[in-house]
């Protein structure tokens, strides 16, 4: 079954993308406010969804908002900040069960949209700003969340590597910003910033479900009727052409049992480029699957890691290799990884590795069509990357990738940073 | 087919489930989902980390197993005589995985092409064990790394320290992967012994979901079983120690690098072992309602604590019940674990005195119903949960009907019985003093 993405514009310029489908038991919506990733704005962008989901004019606190969601059969509303490439996007997703499984008669769409419209378009305002109590409380929560990155050693090592590798690039900004940036934000300033980006920046609104387009447009125009007058802003794509002068090696210590090794590489290929599909295949052969070189060599053959894989930052053109290892094995692991990178360059790839990778990539692209939120993400990536593929088009491109195309990608892939989080000297304290 | 067959229709969810039973006792469930790209199959053995002592009728001989062997066996089945099982799935473009819990081991794959061959491969690799001294030794290294990874995982540590606080003897207190020492005792011989017992078809079940013809799937599975010459096996008797009613230790504190302390309060459910099937499911639903009323984000308790900066969004409560153990856990990250602990105990005391309202009960009932329907978007959710319930003789599809039946009064009785001060323990992870 072919996925349909139907694009429309609401009177106030919000782009509505409707995905009609009968296969899900839900009504799913996603609203994305596009903004650039910038160090000085990061804390504000992160704070916006957190403050907005505390309550609106009509549902002025979390208790009342949650009770309304419960009345809508436990609808789930989730506000978050996304960082992808050099975009920083306050995001709101909303999902309720579909009426037809509840003996209700088609009223839920209107009520769902009403709540979401209230949260993003009609916030709780006092003295010309967001409610002070919510702003200070959510600042505090986000600062705690920044500190809590420490709790997940793998994620911590990944973020440390990215921030060291891209320290002079927008991408080096952590998605929740820096702790010190929160000091200078006040509720009036934050609200006027929100008014500004809400008016000028692109907004994509997705609706997925067994619904009629006429009704979707009508309800959306009513629930999102706020005015957005002003010049629409266009946002730049990520800058990816940073050269590597020499490889940086960085080690840091923590009281941990296992060392984390993260390799940051630049691929100089991003989502919109013609060789993006070749990069997908390259990354798949190298480390995205259990059949990939990294898993087979580091884990299955050498038994040196439980966890080892590579992944792409598709909009920024980065590839990140991660492994959880014994610190004493670090040289051996790094040698094996570098050998695999060399093999990719010299075209030392078996037919089977190539075929399996293509099949694996196609399987995962098709599987995405079975989840409403993944259907949304696929299109949103196109909106961010400046090139909207249809799933079939991307699949056809992947099928056409040959060794030569992979070799060309491999030529460009350059190691930039090796980061190791190692156990404190003298072993762990436990 | 020679197998028995029946059809289970669920009108509320618009689903039809096909059930087959094949000699010597394998249950197959097929749920057609037209329109879905993906097909998903999960093959589960009722063998988890708690199954560490057993015998098989009529043999009185008891076998004792090292902790972590079910998980070890899961890893090892991914290797067969011809090499790595992943390779064949990769050739087919399918995505395999496996997991081990306290009570079961599951092998699964999802695919969008080559379903028949992938299913054949799943059935083959799970039913064709191959263990040698050498492969066992290598796996000890890999699992050693996995255990180390969990040692650095604060929430995992809080969880298992709490279970070890609640339970004195029951193996649910032990880490699913075992310890470096316990897995050192794993041998090929022991793996074969576990395999021939717990991977007998009568101790397994298979759930398959996607755009499929149930009759064709059934014939394939039956043909695969027939060629293996299975014979009937006696009943597996799982032996568990007599767990005392009281807890093991009230407080566990561990130092780990964390930004904020984590605290979980646990309550031991000594009566879960008297329930099974529908009754156990009813108990679970009541506890879910109750915990949502006590600690959910639409109630004053949560909102007051959030305002006082004692909890964050990840604060939560959960009840788990299996055929021979059960527990409730409440908690999260907090700046002040002692104060949060006090508040939780106080909250429970208050609700015991004040009771719950009909309005609250109905509102939360509605929420749980909607959440249940939403989860039916996910093929993985349906398959995995169906089998987990099936192994405790309950039926996932009966959940909405039971949810509609339960009464507020039953929930009030359960608070008294199940959130008992005398059966509680607390577990904390705190940052080291020097950091």
């Amino acid at each position: 079954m072919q996925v349909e993405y139907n694009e429309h514009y609401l009177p106030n310029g919000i782009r509505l993308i409707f995905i009609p489908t009968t296969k899900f038991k839900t009504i799913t919506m996603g609203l994305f406010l596009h903004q650039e990733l910038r160090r000085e704005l990061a804390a504000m962008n992160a704070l916006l969804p957190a403050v907005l989901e505390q309550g609106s004019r009509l549902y002025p606190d979390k208790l009342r908002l949650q009770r309304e969601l419960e009345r809508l059969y436990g609808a789930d509303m989730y506000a978050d900040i996304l960082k992808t490439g050099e975009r920083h996007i306050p995001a709101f997703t909303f999902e309720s069960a579909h009426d037809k499984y509840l003996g209700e008669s088609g009223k839920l769409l209107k009520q769902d949209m009403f709540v979401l419209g209230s949260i993003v378009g009609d916030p709780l305002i006092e003295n010309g700003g967001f409610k002070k109590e919510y702003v200070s409380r959510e600042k505090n929560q986000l600062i705690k969340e920044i500190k809590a990155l420490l709790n997940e050693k793998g994620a911590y090592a990944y973020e440390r590597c990215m921030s060291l590798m891209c320290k002079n690039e927008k991408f080096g900004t952590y998605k929740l910003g820096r702790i010190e940036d929160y000091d200078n934000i006040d509720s009036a300033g934050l609200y006027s910033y929100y008014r500004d980006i809400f008016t000028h920046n692109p907004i994509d609104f997705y609706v997925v479900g067994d619904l009629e387009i006429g009704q979707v447009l009508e309800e959306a125009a009513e629930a999102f009727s706020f005015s957005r007058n002003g010049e629409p802003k266009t946002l730049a794509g990520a800058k990816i052409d940073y050269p590597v002068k020499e490889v940086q090696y960085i080690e840091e210590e923590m009281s941990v049992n296992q060392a984390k090794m993260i390799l940051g590489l630049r691929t100089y290929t991003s989502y919109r480029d013609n060789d993006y599909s070749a990069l997908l295949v390259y990354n798949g052969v190298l480390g995205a699957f259990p059949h990939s070189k990294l898993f087979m060599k580091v884990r299955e053959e050498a038994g040196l890691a439980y966890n080892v894989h590579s992944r792409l930052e598709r909009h920024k053109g980065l590839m990140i290799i991660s492994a959880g290892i014994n610190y004493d094995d670090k040289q051996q692991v790094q040698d094996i990884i570098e050998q695999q990178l060399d093999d990719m360059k010299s075209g030392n790839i078996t037919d089977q590795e190539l075929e399996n990778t293509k099949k694996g990539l196609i399987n995962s692209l098709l599987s995405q069509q079975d989840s409403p939120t993944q259907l949304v993400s696929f299109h949103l990536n196109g909106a961010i990357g400046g090139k909207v593929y249809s799933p079939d088009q991307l699949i056809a491109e992947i099928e056409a990738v040959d060794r030569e195309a992979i070799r060309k990608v491999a030529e460009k892939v350059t190691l930039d940073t090796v980061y190791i989080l190692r156990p404190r000297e003298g072993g762990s304290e436990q | 087919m020679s197998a028995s067959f029946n059809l289970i229709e669920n009108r509320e969810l618009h689903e039809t489930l096909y059930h087959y039973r094949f000699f010597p006792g394998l249950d197959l469930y097929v749920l057609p989902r037209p329109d879905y790209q993906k097909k998903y199959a999960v093959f589960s053995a009722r063998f988890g980390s708690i199954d560490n002592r057993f015998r098989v009728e009529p043999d009185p001989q008891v076998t004792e197993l090292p902790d972590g062997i079910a998980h070890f066996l899961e890893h090892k089945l991914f290797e067969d005589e011809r090499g790595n099982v992943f390779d064949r799935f990769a050739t087919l473009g399918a995505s395999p995985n496996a997991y081990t819990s306290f009570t079961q081991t599951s092998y699964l794959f999802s695919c969008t092409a080559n379903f028949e061959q992938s299913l054949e491969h799943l059935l083959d690799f799970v039913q064709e064990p191959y263990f040698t001294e050498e492969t066992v030794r290598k796996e000890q290294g890999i699992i050693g790394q996995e255990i180390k990874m969990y040692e650095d995982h604060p929430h995992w540590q809080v969880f298992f320290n709490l279970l070890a606080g609640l339970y004195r003897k029951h193996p649910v207190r032990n880490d699913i992967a075992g310890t470096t020492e316990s897995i050192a005792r794993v041998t090929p011989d022991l793996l074969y012994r576990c395999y021939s017992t717990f991977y007998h078809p009568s101790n397994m079940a298979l759930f398959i979901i996607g755009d499929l013809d149930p009759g064709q799937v059934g014939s394939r599975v039956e043909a695969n079983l027939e060629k293996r010459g299975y014979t009937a096996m006696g009943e597996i008797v799982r032996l568990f120690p007599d767990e005392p009613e009281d807890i093991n230790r009230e407080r566990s504190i561990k130092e780990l690098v964390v930004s904020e302390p984590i605290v979980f309060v646990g309550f031991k459910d000594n009566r879960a072992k008297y329930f099974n099937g529908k009754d156990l499911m009813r108990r679970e639903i009541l506890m879910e309602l109750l915990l949502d009323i006590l600690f959910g984000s639409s109630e004053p308790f949560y909102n007051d604590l959030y305002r006082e900066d004692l909890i964050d969004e990840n604060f939560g409560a959960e009840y788990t019940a299996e055929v021979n153990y059960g527990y409730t856990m409440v908690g999260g990250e907090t700046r002040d674990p002692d104060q949060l602990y006090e508040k939780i105990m106080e909250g429970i005391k208050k609700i015991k005195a004040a009771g719950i309202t009909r309005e609250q009960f109905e509102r939360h009932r509605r929420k749980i119903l909607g959440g249940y329907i939403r989860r039916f978007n996910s093929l993985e959710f349906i398959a995995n949960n169906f089998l987990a319930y099936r192994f405790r003789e309950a039926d996932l599809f009966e959940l909405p009907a039971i949810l509609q039946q339960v009464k507020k009064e039953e929930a009030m009785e359960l608070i008294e019985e199940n959130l008992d001060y005398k059966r509680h323990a607390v577990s904390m992870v705190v940052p080291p003093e020097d950091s």
Side-chain angles (χ1 to χ4, degrees):
Chain A
M1 211 179 49
Q2 190 60 37
V3 185
E4 268 182 69
Y5 290 98
N6 296 320
E7 262 187 53
H8 300 269
Y9 283 86
L10 298 182
N12 59 9
I14 291 177
R15 179 165 72 159
L16 185 147
I17 297 117
F18 174 50
I19 307 167
T21 165
T22 53
K23 75 183 190 189
F24 302 121
K25 296 191 191 308
T26 48
I27 298 171
T28 308
M29 306 189 283
L31 188 134
F32 303 92
L33 171 54
H34 292 267
Q35 172 62 318
E36 278 173 70
L37 179 66
R38 274 168 43 193
R39 231 166 267 274
E40 65 277 19
L41 299 177
M44 285 206 287
N45 291 335
L47 201 46
L48 283 175
V51 169
L52 287 166
E53 77 167 337
Q54 296 309 307
S56 66
R57 187 175 62 83
L58 293 170
Y59 310 103
D61 55 44
K62 199 142 196 181
L63 188 139
R64 274 177 273 194
L65 176 61
Q66 289 302 323
R67 287 188 179 181
E68 179 62 10
L69 295 174
E70 282 174 349
R71 206 179 61 76
L72 301 175
Y73 292 93
D76 185 41
M77 190 177 69
Y78 184 65
D80 198 9
I81 181 76
L82 310 179
K83 170 188 165 183
T84 176
E86 291 179 343
R87 285 285 171 88
H88 206 199
I89 303 174
F92 303 83
T93 53
F94 194 109
E95 187 172 82
S96 75
H98 193 289
D99 305 58
K100 64 183 171 187
Y101 303 99
L102 295 163
E104 297 267 337
S105 52
K107 277 180 288 185
L108 271 182
L109 175 68
K110 188 187 189 70
Q111 297 175 352
D112 289 355
M113 280 201 184
F114 185 80
V115 175
L116 182 59
S118 164
I119 291 295
V120 298
D122 191 9
L124 182 61
I125 301 305
E126 53 174 41
N127 306 320
F130 289 120
K131 191 178 164 82
K132 275 211 173 68
E133 183 199 334
Y134 293 172
V135 174
S136 69
R137 209 167 70 193
E138 292 311 306
K139 275 188 193 179
N140 179 39
Q141 288 285 353
L142 285 166
I143 289 169
K144 283 201 290 187
E145 213 180 312
I146 294 172
K147 292 180 181 162
L149 183 56
L150 202 66
N151 305 350
E152 282 296 332
K153 312 311 178 226
Y156 174 82
Y158 170 84
E159 292 294 342
R160 282 296 293 157
C161 180
M162 291 300 101
S163 73
L164 293 161
M165 174 169 163
C166 303
K167 54 181 174 291
N168 299 316
E169 301 159 44
K170 288 178 189 166
F171 188 76
T173 307
Y174 181 50
K175 75 169 179 172
L176 302 180
R178 292 170 303 195
I179 290 172
E180 58 268 32
D181 296 332
Y182 285 84
D183 290 343
N184 305 318
I185 303 175
D186 66 63
S187 55
L190 184 65
Y191 178 57
S192 92
Y193 173 68
Y194 182 56
R195 295 290 313 161
D196 178 46
I197 60 170
F198 191 74
T199 306
H200 298 102
N201 290 31
I203 297 179
D204 284 327
F205 178 41
Y206 293 85
V207 181
V208 189
D210 185 8
L211 302 161
E212 293 297 326
I213 180 62
Q215 198 205 353
V216 169
L217 284 172
E218 194 179 308
E219 303 297 359
E222 200 179 313
F224 298 84
S225 61
F226 28 84
S227 70
R228 294 171 73 242
N229 299 320
E231 270 309 287
K233 202 161 142 190
T234 4
L235 302 175
K239 187 166 151 42
I240 65 167
D241 53 350
Y242 292 89
V244 180
K245 292 190 190 86
E246 69 180 314
V247 180
Q248 316 185 62
Y249 290 89
I250 300 152
E251 290 197 9
E252 292 181 328
E253 275 190 348
M254 203 189 269
S255 299
V256 290
N257 290 292
Q258 188 182 56
K260 304 283 180 191
M261 175 186 268
I262 313 281
L263 277 67
L265 301 99
R266 296 188 189 269
T267 72
Y268 303 104
T269 293
S270 77
Y271 194 73
R272 79 173 77 89
D273 293 322
N274 290 332
D275 56 353
Y276 175 67
S277 46
L279 177 63
L280 279 177
V281 178
Y282 171 96
N283 179 56
V285 172
L286 179 69
F289 296 100
H291 70 254
S292 304
K293 289 180 183 291
L294 291 178
F295 193 87
M296 294 309 294
K297 301 289 175 185
V298 180
R299 171 167 158 159
E300 296 299 307
E301 280 178 26
L304 291 172
Y306 167 71
N307 220 331
V308 55
H309 59 89
S310 67
R311 63 166 147 160
L312 298 173
E313 207 316 327
R314 52 169 80 82
H315 298 296
K316 177 69 181 170
L318 304 180
M319 185 172 72
I320 299 96
I321 298 173
S322 319
I325 58 169
N326 265 331
Y327 181 68
D328 294 340
D329 297 332
K330 70 166 177 173
Q331 199 52 50
Q332 207 186 338
V333 173
Q334 197 182 323
D335 290 347
I336 298 175
I337 293 174
E338 288 189 9
Q339 180 59 50
Q340 308 317 305
L341 289 165
D342 287 345
D343 283 352
M344 295 300 296
K345 257 187 198 127
S346 58
N348 193 358
I349 298 168
T350 65
D351 288 345
Q352 189 151 48
E353 283 173 326
L354 186 58
E355 281 317 302
N356 292 354
T357 295
K358 288 181 180 181
K359 286 180 192 155
L361 289 169
I362 292 165
N363 181 43
S364 97
L365 271 166
L366 289 172
S367 298
Q368 285 173 16
Q369 298 179 16
D370 291 342
S371 147
T373 49
Q374 288 184 33
L375 278 175
V376 169
S377 304
F378 183 77
H379 188 276
L380 182 67
N381 270 319
I384 294 163
K387 181 172 179 179
V388 180
Y389 298 86
S390 72
D392 289 349
Q393 180 192 354
L394 194 52
I395 287 169
E397 283 189 24
I398 288 167
E399 272 168 348
V401 171
D402 57 17
R403 278 202 175 66
E404 180 56 16
I406 298 173
R407 199 193 52 77
K408 279 188 185 150
V409 166
E411 285 289 306
K412 298 198 287 178
V413 173
T414 312
L415 181 62
D416 184 302
T417 299
V418 178
Y419 174 86
I420 297 174
L421 181 67
R422 68 162 186 247
R424 187 151 285 161
E425 297 264 333
S428 102
E429 276 129 84
Q430 285 98 50
Chain B
M1 277 176 288
S2 60
S4 70
F5 163 74
N6 65 320
L7 201 143
I8 307 154
E9 229 178 311
N10 186 296
R11 286 178 203 284
E12 287 120 355
L13 288 158
H14 310 197
E15 304 277 11
T16 306
L17 180 70
Y18 296 75
H19 172 214
Y20 303 83
R21 174 164 288 188
F22 300 118
F23 181 81
L26 179 77
D27 283 309
L28 163 69
Y29 300 88
V30 185
L31 187 71
R33 266 296 178 97
D35 298 344
Y36 270 68
Q37 296 277 354
K38 199 164 39 183
K39 296 171 178 73
Y40 179 81
V42 53
F43 194 15
S44 297
R46 196 178 158 196
F47 180 40
S49 65
I50 63 168
D51 299 307
N52 60 7
R53 279 183 80 220
F54 71 95
R55 61 183 185 82
V56 179
E57 291 282 15
D59 188 353
Q61 171 81 37
V62 173
T63 303
E64 309 241 0
L65 300 169
D67 289 335
I69 196 164
H71 172 261
F72 200 104
L73 180 52
E74 173 226 300
H75 271 240
K76 265 344 306 149
L77 274 188
F78 269 97
E79 204 154 10
D80 61 20
E81 239 175 309
R82 286 156 295 174
N84 193 305
V85 167
F86 284 117
D87 291 348
R88 172 88 177 126
F89 277 119
T91 312
L92 296 166
S95 170
N97 212 336
Y99 63 89
T100 306
S101 71
F102 289 130
T103 53
Q104 70 180 75
T105 312
S106 296
Y107 301 85
L108 56 96
F109 73 87
S110 75
C111 69
T112 52
N114 304 318
F115 170 76
E116 286 78 13
Q117 291 135 291
S118 301
L119 175 62
E120 207 68 45
H121 183 46
L122 174 74
L123 297 173
D124 288 348
F125 94 78
V126 174
Q127 296 182 93
E128 288 164 17
Y130 175 71
F131 318 120
T132 66
E133 295 284 350
E134 192 205 331
T135 61
V136 166
R137 205 170 318 114
K138 199 190 76 198
E139 207 61 35
Q140 283 160 341
I142 293 173
I143 295 177
Q145 283 300 321
E146 190 179 356
I147 291 170
K148 272 195 169 183
M149 186 176 83
Y150 283 115
E151 284 171 3
D152 287 335
H153 206 291
H155 281 97
W156 193 256
Q157 294 299 315
V158 173
F159 177 67
F160 275 99
N161 286 335
L162 184 50
L163 286 175
L166 289 174
Y167 287 89
R168 287 172 181 270
K169 293 180 175 167
H170 194 285
V172 71
R173 67 198 301 281
N174 303 326
D175 200 315
I176 290 168
T179 61
T180 319
E181 297 75 44
S182 73
I183 61 169
R185 300 206 304 272
V186 172
T187 60
D189 176 57
L190 218 40
L191 287 172
Y192 279 116
R193 201 149 4 133
C194 290
Y195 182 85
S196 62
T197 309
F198 293 103
Y199 285 65
H200 186 270
S202 60
N203 193 50
M204 299 188 76
L206 179 58
F207 196 104
I208 302 177
I209 182 167
D211 192 356
L212 293 160
D213 176 343
Q216 276 177 17
V217 173
S219 308
R220 260 182 193 282
V221 173
E222 188 175 35
N224 189 295
L225 282 185
E226 273 173 354
K227 71 182 180 196
R228 298 180 193 278
Y230 281 114
T231 53
M233 183 180 76
E235 198 193 333
I236 302 172
V237 180
R238 294 154 211 265
L239 301 166
F240 293 101
D242 268 331
E243 174 65 31
E245 295 242 315
D246 58 348
I247 59 157
N248 182 36
R249 59 166 187 261
E250 202 177 310
R251 258 174 116 78
S252 311
I253 299 183
K254 185 180 175 91
E255 287 189 358
L256 270 183
V257 182
V258 284
S259 59
E260 263 201 330
I262 305 170
V263 58
F264 273 89
V265 184
F267 295 86
K268 188 171 175 178
D269 182 358
N270 285 318
R271 287 181 49 80
K273 61 180 175 224
Y274 302 120
F275 298 92
N276 199 355
K278 255 186 206 177
D279 299 331
L280 192 61
M281 186 180 236
R282 191 181 188 97
R283 194 174 179 85
E284 244 180 0
I285 293 169
L286 281 162
M287 282 306 292
E288 189 183 349
L289 274 161
L290 194 58
L291 294 174
D292 206 37
I293 291 169
L294 263 165
F295 302 114
S297 60
S298 66
E299 298 298 336
F301 180 87
Y302 177 98
N303 285 280
D304 292 347
L305 265 57
Y306 190 85
R307 206 173 302 126
E308 290 166 37
D309 190 28
L310 276 172
I311 59 170
D312 62 24
E313 277 185 334
N314 301 315
F315 176 80
E318 200 178 54
Y319 173 71
T320 301
E322 283 292 344
V323 286
N324 59 25
Y325 64 90
Y327 53 82
T328 300
M329 285 192 184
V330 193
E333 291 170 23
T334 181
R335 64 179 163 82
D336 189 340
D338 290 308
Q339 204 190 340
L340 179 55
Y341 163 68
E342 293 297 329
K343 294 270 184 186
I344 290 169
M345 301 312 280
E346 217 173 87
I348 292 169
K349 219 167 165 183
K350 262 191 200 157
I351 209 156
K352 281 182 181 172
I356 54 184
T357 68
R358 183 144 314 277
E359 184 273 333
Q360 270 181 318
F361 196 73
E362 294 309 323
R363 190 156 43 77
H364 288 269
R365 193 203 303 264
R366 197 170 162 121
K367 171 184 171 183
I368 291 173
L369 177 65
Y372 174 77
I373 292 168
R374 282 196 279 122
R375 275 178 215 113
F376 268 71
N377 276 352
S378 160
L379 306 188
E380 293 84 348
F381 168 84
I382 299 169
N384 299 343
N385 284 282
F386 185 90
L387 290 186
Y389 278 115
R390 161 70 186 70
F391 284 153
R392 41 190 128 118
E393 286 150 50
D395 178 356
L396 174 71
F397 289 91
E398 281 183 357
L399 198 149
I402 299 175
L403 178 63
Q404 299 294 357
Q405 287 163 13
V406 294
K407 296 192 183 68
K408 180 173 84 95
E409 292 68 31
E410 292 174 87
M412 283 311 295
E413 276 170 34
L414 262 185
I415 304 186
E416 291 296 340
E417 177 180 318
N418 219 349
L419 301 178
D420 181 351
Y421 186 86
K422 294 194 296 289
R423 308 268 178 266
H424 91 278
V426 55
S427 166
M428 297 178 188
V429 159
V430 297
E433 276 182 31
D434 62 351
S435 77

